[in-house]
Amino acid sequence: MDTPVQSTQHRLPYIMIIVIMVAIAIGYYLSRPATLRIDGNQLRVHTVEKNAFYEYINLDGRIEPATTYVIDSKIAGNVEQVYASSGQTVQRGDTLLRIGNADLELEVMQRESQLIEQLNAQRQTRLLLNQNDFNRREQLVEVNYQLALQTKQYNRDRGLLADGLIAMADYEPSANRYAYFQRRRELLTASLRADSTARERQLRQINSFEDRILTNLIAVRAILDRLYLRAAVDGRLSNFDVNTGQAITSGQRLGEIYGLENPNLTAEVDEYYLDKITAGQPGVIAGRNDSLKIEVTKIYPDVNGGRFRIDARFTNGAVSPGQFVKGQTLRFRLLFGEERASVLLASGPFYGDTGGHWVYRLAKDGADRIPIRLGRSNPNYYEVLEGLSPGDRVIVSTYDGFAEYDHITIN
């Protein structure tokens, strides 16, 4: 069965309605005024200028110490005296607190007493060796003296015997005493030589043993130094919250010391700039006449919540320790590119209405809408590439309510 075709005459009323509505819209558009009168007090106007320009972004950085020394207790005990407080500046070697531990002190005293006894025994042995060596040398001196006397007597009696003035019986006692002292000197000399060799070897052993005892004694006495917690470095004391009488354990974290001679500046940056920031990129601390300069030292590529982290350091000399504190926030400018002279337009809400493609430039009878092209930007200015010249006055406040007009009249 054939399908009936709807007649064109049935669609004609609908076509006429659409045509009428389009005609009404066109008529309204053509009949609206081409200009609008605006109260000048509602507008913010900026004069375009030519000046030095550099691209930068403002960031809030947090001061972090370059080095931090952790304070841990070396022994267990109770806090007897606290000598410092958190936030105080300390020097290397300053005493922070004293810990009481009676068991440790008693153990150190016992070990010290044992070592002193061993040291005294070694010194007594050295004394005996030296005394024996002295006695041997004294005996040798005496024998040499007696031998000298007997040598004179022996030579005299031998001459008398040769001349027949004395009998053999009178000569023999003198010869025997002479031979006795000669032999005695030989034996004492050999004995002294052997004793001296043994004595030197024993003294070396005694000296070595005494050195070990003294080293151990110093180490034992140093154990008591653990009762005194001292600053290992110069810096500022942080998180040091201890009270007298408080019980602490060995290895317990008691605080930290940080130095701020050349601190780090840590900041979070929008991920849009992840590929635009490089190590060594310069910056300046805002509000200090650009006297404090910084440079990026490290970029952390991990993005968290749409932001990533960078570290920077001061480049024009070390910062004095008292100039900043840990955790302090500093506003700084991170610079992009080189500074150069450019035509500048102040930033403002107009950019959100036009995307930087056009602006209202003031004329004699109001303001005209003109196309422009912008380049680099910073939080204060846009770099104008085309469309504006120095001296032009431009509305930089919002264009909400009149952005569709080519010309506006300003009261």
Side-chain angles (χ1 to χ4, degrees):
M1 183 176 63
D2 297 334
T3 302
V5 179
Q6 186 175 3
S7 174
T8 305
Q9 294 179 353
H10 293 111
R11 297 198 300 268
L12 186 58
Y14 299 103
I15 295 174
M16 293 298 295
I17 293 175
I18 293 174
V19 170
I20 293 173
M21 293 178 64
V22 171
I24 292 174
I26 293 174
Y28 172 78
Y29 178 79
L30 294 176
S31 63
R32 70 179 179 86
T35 184
L36 181 69
R37 188 172 295 276
I38 301 294
D39 184 2
N41 294 326
Q42 300 177 358
L43 305 178
R44 184 164 68 91
V45 178
H46 174 259
T47 301
V48 176
E49 58 183 303
K50 186 171 185 178
N51 209 336
F53 174 82
Y54 53 84
E55 185 180 5
Y56 69 88
I57 56 174
N58 285 325
L59 296 173
D60 290 325
R62 185 177 65 255
I63 292 291
E64 294 291 346
T67 56
T68 301
Y69 180 84
V70 175
I71 305 173
D72 291 339
S73 172
K74 302 298 187 295
I75 61 172
N78 295 89
V79 177
E80 289 189 347
Q81 186 70 41
V82 180
Y83 301 102
S85 59
S86 188
Q88 179 178 337
T89 300
V90 295
Q91 303 294 323
R92 179 185 176 90
D94 288 352
T95 302
L96 306 180
L97 60 81
R98 185 186 187 281
I99 302 172
N101 188 320
D103 293 338
L104 179 63
E105 294 180 31
L106 180 61
E107 179 184 353
V108 168
M109 291 176 61
Q110 292 174 345
R111 294 174 62 182
E112 186 178 22
S113 177
Q114 293 172 358
L115 290 171
I116 291 176
E117 289 179 0
Q118 296 176 12
L119 184 61
N120 289 335
Q122 295 302 312
R123 290 174 175 174
Q124 183 65 30
T125 302
R126 178 192 285 108
L127 182 61
L128 292 175
L129 289 173
N130 290 334
Q131 185 65 41
N132 180 66
D133 181 70
F134 176 78
N135 292 336
R136 293 286 189 185
R137 294 179 183 278
E138 186 180 33
Q139 292 174 5
L140 184 59
V141 170
E142 178 65 24
V143 167
N144 286 331
Y145 172 72
Q146 293 297 331
L147 180 60
L149 295 178
Q150 290 302 320
T151 299
K152 293 179 180 180
Q153 183 64 39
Y154 169 73
N155 290 333
R156 196 165 40 244
D157 289 345
R158 187 175 58 177
L160 293 174
L161 179 62
D163 294 338
L165 297 176
I166 61 172
M168 180 62 70
D170 295 328
Y171 168 75
E172 288 179 349
S174 177
N176 289 338
R177 284 194 298 272
Y178 173 72
Y180 167 75
F181 282 112
Q182 272 194 325
R183 181 58 179 164
R184 182 170 175 76
R185 185 179 67 175
E186 293 174 358
L187 291 176
L188 283 174
T189 302
S191 176
L192 180 61
R193 187 181 299 112
D195 287 349
S196 297
T197 302
R199 173 177 167 274
E200 290 177 0
R201 182 173 61 254
Q202 287 181 286
L203 288 177
R204 286 195 298 268
Q205 294 174 350
I206 290 173
N207 290 335
S208 177
F209 192 50
E210 282 186 353
D211 290 341
R212 289 198 298 271
I213 293 176
L214 290 174
T215 300
N216 292 337
L217 189 59
I218 293 173
V220 168
R221 289 173 176 172
I223 294 176
L224 292 179
D225 287 341
R226 299 180 183 178
L227 297 175
Y228 293 89
L229 195 61
R230 294 183 172 89
V233 294
D234 298 344
R236 182 164 295 181
L237 197 57
S238 176
N239 300 323
F240 190 70
D241 300 319
V242 291
N243 299 306
T244 303
Q246 177 181 339
I248 58 178
T249 59
S250 178
Q252 180 176 340
R253 179 68 51 82
L254 299 179
E256 60 185 28
I257 300 174
Y258 61 87
L260 290 176
E261 287 77 10
N262 194 12
N264 289 328
L265 195 60
T266 300
E268 292 188 350
V269 188
D270 190 279
E271 62 180 332
Y272 170 78
Y273 297 98
L274 184 58
D275 297 331
K276 300 178 180 295
I277 298 177
T278 58
Q281 189 162 334
V284 293
I285 302 299
R288 295 179 181 264
N289 297 323
D290 295 348
S291 60
L292 284 180
K293 300 182 184 300
I294 62 171
E295 69 175 10
V296 177
T297 56
K298 188 173 183 180
I299 302 170
Y300 298 85
D302 298 332
V303 177
N304 188 6
R307 304 182 71 79
F308 67 98
R309 188 160 65 95
I310 64 171
D311 287 344
R313 65 177 178 84
F314 295 90
T315 59
N316 53 334
V319 179
S320 59
Q323 191 167 357
F324 301 114
V325 297
K326 178 183 177 182
Q328 179 179 349
T329 299
L330 289 179
R331 172 66 61 89
F332 69 95
R333 296 173 178 175
L334 191 61
L335 308 180
F336 297 86
E338 298 293 333
E339 182 179 272
R340 69 185 184 191
S342 302
V343 177
L344 304 180
L345 174 64
S347 60
F350 77 93
Y351 190 87
D353 299 325
T354 71
H357 299 297
W358 58 272
V359 292
Y360 281 112
R361 182 179 60 188
L362 266 62
K364 292 182 179 181
D365 57 347
D368 297 321
R369 173 174 174 163
I370 63 169
I372 63 171
R373 187 166 68 91
L374 302 180
R376 300 180 300 165
S377 66
N378 62 38
N380 296 323
Y381 293 98
Y382 295 104
E383 182 183 33
V384 180
L385 301 180
E386 294 178 1
L388 293 173
S389 301
D392 289 343
R393 302 181 66 200
V394 177
I395 299 174
V396 295
S397 53
T398 181
Y399 293 171
D400 186 29
F402 57 90
E404 66 272 18
Y405 293 92
D406 294 331
H407 179 83
I408 58 174
T409 301
I410 302 175
N411 292 334

